[in-house]
Amino acid sequence: MLNKLRNIGIIAHIDAGKTTTTERILFYTGLTHKIGETHDGESVMDYLDCERERGITVTSAATRCTWKENSINIIDTPGHIDFTAEVERSLRILDGAVVIFCGKGGVEPQSETVWRQADKYHIPRIAYVNKMDAVGADYDQVILQIKERLGANPVVINMPVYQGDNLAGIIDLLDMRYYTFTGKAGNDIHDFEVPESNLDAAEICRTQLVEALAETDEEILDLYYQNQDVPHDLLVKAIRKNTIEGKIVPVCCGSSYRNIGVQNLLDAIVDYLPSPLEVPFPTVQSQETGEAFEIRPDDSSDFCGLVFKIVSDRHVGKLVFARIYSGTLHAGSYVYNSSKGKKERIGRLVKMHANHREETEEVKAGDIVALIGIKDVSTGDTLCKEGNSLVMESIEFPEPVIQIAIEPKTQSDQDKISEALYKISSEDPTFKMSYDQETGQTLISGMGELHLEIVSERLTKEFNLDFNLGQPQVAYRETITKKAEQVTRYVKQTGGRGQFAHVVLSLEPSDGFEFVSKIVGGAIPREFIPAIESGVKQALEEGVIKGHQVVNVKATLLDGSFHEVDSSELAFRTAAMLATRECMKKAGPQLLEPVMSLEITSPEEYTGSIINNINNRRGRLESMESQNNTQIIKGSVPLAEMFGYSTVLRSLTQGRAGFSMQFSHYEQSHLAS
């Protein structure tokens, strides 16, 4: 039943306790019989070697559990900014999210990033303030930060109770009961009257909760004015409605590591986050008619799904993760990939529990599933019933911001490394590989140092490759700054037929390359003119300053002469090359460097530091725009100054800023020329 299904993501800043919380959820819902701890390298959801070694999540992991007759599909996402694409593609296909905050750290840099991503997809959210047992944890301060930094409307639904310095339990403000969690794993729950020492604070919080809901619900408003108690069910209904509409964010608290409050969080997920029937239905477009329409999550309608993640598995090949939006899909059936225009057969259907697979014969609308057997598929592709050509909006990913060169230690590994990089780039849309013809380097790009470090580890461990990493080289250009003329006679006598060519050539600055012949009266036969142009182009491939390609030159063939016997295409091509090189030396050669357009999104308080840093990098500021306490700074900076910028920007802004850059143009370099 779709109204009993929840598709949710766990999102947060790194080390807020996402995986620890997910492990408790799996244990309390009966999916696992032992709680896996990240610090022991035993968590179920962090199953990659690199995750267990570092104690962090690198790739999003999906699982499914049941709580109070409700099925919950959970995706545990990474918290590090280098893996922000994992959050992006997960949120694209989810209906709700639990945002976890550290009771001590509060709203941290990546908390802001994931919150903005959830805003982009209009995802209803619950806030869970974790680590309330930590020294320095401050519940009120975290709630204030959620309000001020994130622009949200937090509504507190439970509060912590301390005995001395220890977190003892939580008070549920809806039913005004005090809950404690005992037993080895916190699975013995006891509820009591609210302790006398906490009663006043709890009543104030409950009044604030009722007042916040009374603003949106007339029935609660009437009861509030009549000083009557608002029933539990009415509060739940109002919180659910406002959460789904994005008007409020229910806030609950606990300590996942100490096994306190996770069951109440599960209740909140079921009570307040939407089913697939309660969120706006996705829009699809017909490729045949161009008509756009909504698709309802209905098992009996035509099949339609979206691919949001691809994983290479050494045992089964490609695991294609998809969200089923409508219809029913059977193992062994055919689907049409409308994004690629190809028909594919689904070999097997599996429901994932981290890296464990559970085979199933069919999946229905609302399900999140892995498909085995599809060969030509990319993240963001739409799969639909044969005969339909429906396309859903794809997933947009940020462009990579850091680039390094990679080269195999042995020539025999060259093809292997290209194949391995292609596999990784097909899984990860923010990892790109390219070959620079000018510098002869293979370049890999990613979202940060850690991202590329994880890729390097995979190349070593999964693919058994040896390679070196280094800085990429900047592809400079050269040009000329003034007009110059050159007369060149190329004469070569050998025992037999000689070589003779005489050209008078001028070069001048221009937009792009241009070759003009002003030969009249047959001073040089017409059939030799293309050879002269070819010679000029060949000479411009290597400049006279540092051997870089020469651009923005107009070459004019003014005059020349030929020999009836000794002149040839080769002679005129050689003469043109020599003339061009000599002429470039006289024409004020100048080095050009690539300039990147840069866009930085940062909290306003760091604007001054960022602008100073751009100026120090020989950059130019072009515009600034303010949106919701966030400054969008646009400018241009030479590429040579941008290596390592992601690390510098994070240190300048405590990790709270992000940036994107792309090639803009070439301009005169003030470096050694």
Side-chain angles (χ1 to χ4, degrees), residues 604-623:
E604 287 182 343
E605 59 259 42
Y606 304 110
T607 307
S609 306
I610 290 169
I611 291 169
N612 281 341
N613 189 261
I614 288 174
N615 291 335
N616 292 340
R617 292 170 183 269
R618 300 186 287 124
R620 282 194 300 269
L621 188 67
E622 287 163 8
S623 70

Side-chain angles (χ1 to χ4, degrees), residues 143 153-158 208-209 212-213 239 248-252:
I143 291 161
N153 181 17
V155 172
V156 179
I157 59 173
N158 62 36
Q208 290 171 345
L209 166 66
L213 296 173
I239 294 171
I248 66 167
V249 177
V251 184
C252 45

Side-chain angles (χ1 to χ4, degrees), residues 515-670:
F515 178 81
V516 176
S517 170
K518 291 192 173 176
I519 297 296
V520 289
I524 297 174
R526 193 177 298 165
E527 62 265 26
F528 293 141
I529 304 295
I532 295 170
E533 182 178 353
S534 172
V536 171
K537 284 181 177 174
Q538 202 170 333
L540 293 178
E541 284 175 11
E542 282 190 23
V544 292
I545 303 172
K546 289 189 173 180
H548 298 290
Q549 186 184 343
V550 183
V551 295
N552 299 340
V553 172
K554 178 182 179 181
T556 307
L557 180 60
L558 300 170
D559 199 2
S561 61
F562 73 106
H563 187 278
E564 289 283 356
V565 177
D566 290 349
S567 288
S568 65
E569 285 189 6
L570 176 63
F572 274 104
R573 186 184 297 118
T574 307
M577 284 174 65
L578 296 171
T580 304
R581 282 180 185 149
E582 288 305 312
C583 202
M584 277 195 289
K585 292 175 185 174
K586 301 179 194 172
Q590 175 67 54
L591 196 66
L592 297 176
E593 63 181 336
V595 173
M596 312 300 283
S597 349
L598 181 66
E599 183 174 310
I600 301 165
T601 309
S602 165
E604 287 182 343
E605 59 259 42
Y606 304 110
T607 307
S609 306
I610 290 169
I611 291 169
N612 281 341
N613 189 261
I614 288 174
N615 291 335
N616 292 340
R617 292 170 183 269
R618 300 186 287 124
R620 282 194 300 269
L621 188 67
E622 287 163 8
S623 70
M624 287 170 59
E625 183 187 334
S626 190
Q627 289 178 2
N628 300 330
N629 298 332
T630 300
Q631 201 75 25
I632 297 168
I633 302 163
K634 293 182 181 177
S636 55
V637 185
L639 174 62
E641 303 287 347
M642 292 306 290
F643 297 128
Y645 184 64
S646 57
T647 310
V648 171
L649 184 65
R650 286 177 198 173
S651 64
L652 281 175
T653 63
Q654 297 176 8
R656 293 172 64 192
F659 79 102
S660 63
M661 67 176 182
Q662 60 187 40
F663 173 74
S664 171
H665 62 281
Y666 276 91
E667 69 177 37
Q668 184 176 330
S669 169
H670 298 289

